[in-house]
Amino acid sequence: MHEASEWTRDGDTIHRTVVAPDFRTAIAIVNDIAEQAEALNHHPDIDIRWRTLHLALTTHDAGGLTDLDYKLAARIDGIVADHQA
């Protein structure tokens, strides 16, 4: 089994909550995630509440978690670190 830092598993989904310093930074994080998601052709569920991002990853067509979920989770961790969130 893979491990993804800051992520928790709930069934066939991994989740992470990120609190950005401000709304503008939260949106910048989402934009950077979007770039990586497009590059991998793997898209997370993102819920934005002011400066708090709730992120969820699963591979719907595979019926659960795959390496793509963990790969994108690692990239998201890097993006969050880059934005100091």
Side-chain angles (χ1 to χ4, degrees):
M1 178 168 146
H2 300 275
E3 294 297 325
S5 65
E6 305 290 326
W7 295 82
T8 58
R9 184 173 178 164
D10 180 17
D12 292 332
T13 305
I14 54 175
H15 301 269
R16 179 174 181 186
T17 298
V18 174
V19 179
D22 52 47
F23 182 73
R24 187 178 297 256
T25 303
I27 296 303
I29 291 169
V30 169
N31 285 334
D32 289 352
I33 291 172
E35 291 295 322
Q36 291 302 311
E38 284 295 304
L40 291 173
N41 193 30
H42 192 62
H43 304 93
D45 292 334
I46 303 173
D47 178 28
I48 304 168
R49 307 290 170 119
W50 183 37
R51 62 187 189 109
T52 302
L53 307 174
H54 300 283
L55 306 162
L57 291 167
T58 191
T59 304
H60 297 286
D61 58 354
L65 293 166
T66 66
D67 286 340
L68 269 178
D69 298 301
Y70 293 98
K71 182 181 254 185
L72 184 53
R75 291 187 185 188
I76 290 171
D77 288 345
I79 290 165
V80 170
D82 287 348
H83 286 280
Q84 300 176 351

